[in-house]
Amino acid sequence: MYDSFKSSRALTLLLLGAGAALNAAPAFAHHFMGDKIPQTLTDGLLSGLAHPIIGVDHLLFLAAGALLSLLLRTPARYAVPALFVLGTLAGTAIDLGGGAVAGFLPFVEPLVALSVVVGGALLLFRPDVGVTALAALFSTAGVVHGYAYAQSIVGAEASAVGAYLVGFTFIQYLVIVAGTIAAERFGLAVRASRTRRGIGGALALAGTFILFGSLA
């Protein structure tokens, strides 16, 4: 139990540090290529693979998604995260589509941070949340995250955009599923797991730090 407490505390400090780091370096955290727009297929693929990982707010939600998925039975455990991935594709399409939907989410970065807060809070307070509620959360959060992803690819060549979509689709689903499998092996599938609740609380706090930083 002491080892579990130490692990939970270490993860809490790590997640809070991630939130602080994101606030300190927002540009790096969201752009694999800095301010350069990906123009080749390779650039697009690498950017798509990197954005959900070096974008700390996105990565924290993937962590929350992995633990929330752990609470579901199969096949929902692997189907619900797919809704998040599909949502990101829809959100990216909305932003890139322009026209009447341009500016659809004017406060996208705070909303991304809010998704982390909600995911962490559910882990902490409502581990019994049902599959329907999680499906709604994952789908909605996916649109928000995808809309944010599009900011890095506006103006790129079609091949780069396509590769970017493939990259972030693959890496997001991989991280969630791999995280779910790893968490199960560490015994976090038990609904009363204090470690999982502690991680949820840390995610909610980190998301709050990011949220206030994005509004500053």
Side-chain angles (χ1 to χ4, degrees):
M1 182 174 179
Y2 179 66
D3 289 340
S4 176
F5 171 75
K6 288 197 300 181
S7 299
S8 179
R9 184 176 62 177
L11 282 167
T12 298
L13 293 174
L14 177 63
L15 292 169
L16 291 176
L22 178 59
N23 287 335
F28 173 77
H30 289 84
H31 300 285
F32 173 69
M33 301 180 64
D35 293 327
K36 180 182 177 183
I37 298 174
Q39 294 296 345
T40 68
L41 188 149
T42 301
D43 287 346
L45 181 61
L46 291 176
S47 294
L49 290 170
H51 195 151
I53 304 300
I54 63 176
V56 181
D57 47 357
H58 300 299
L59 182 60
L60 292 180
F61 183 83
L62 295 180
L67 292 175
L68 287 168
S69 298
L70 183 66
L71 302 174
L72 300 173
R73 297 180 179 179
T74 54
R77 178 177 292 184
Y78 303 109
V80 171
L83 296 178
F84 173 75
V85 176
L86 292 174
T88 60
L89 291 171
T92 302
I94 288 171
D95 194 12
L96 294 179
V101 294
F104 170 67
L105 290 174
F107 303 106
V108 65
E109 294 301 336
L111 289 174
V112 169
L114 182 61
S115 72
V116 177
V117 175
V118 173
L122 286 176
L123 286 167
L124 179 60
F125 299 114
R126 290 294 304 273
D128 58 340
V129 63
V131 63
T132 301
L134 282 183
L137 170 64
F138 276 55
S139 300
T140 304
V143 173
V144 172
H145 284 251
Y147 197 89
Y149 288 146
Q151 305 301 310
S152 298
I153 203 72
V154 173
E157 297 292 333
S159 60
V161 173
Y164 183 74
L165 298 179
V166 170
F168 77 60
T169 297
F170 170 77
I171 197 67
Q172 288 180 119
Y173 192 73
L174 176 64
V175 169
I176 293 178
V177 171
T180 299
I181 294 172
E184 183 173 33
R185 291 186 176 180
F186 278 102
L188 302 187
V190 179
R191 289 186 179 275
S193 170
R194 292 183 178 181
T195 300
R196 193 192 60 248
R197 287 177 180 266
I199 295 172
L203 286 166
L205 283 173
T208 301
F209 271 107
I210 298 170
L211 175 60
F212 281 104
S214 65
L215 293 172

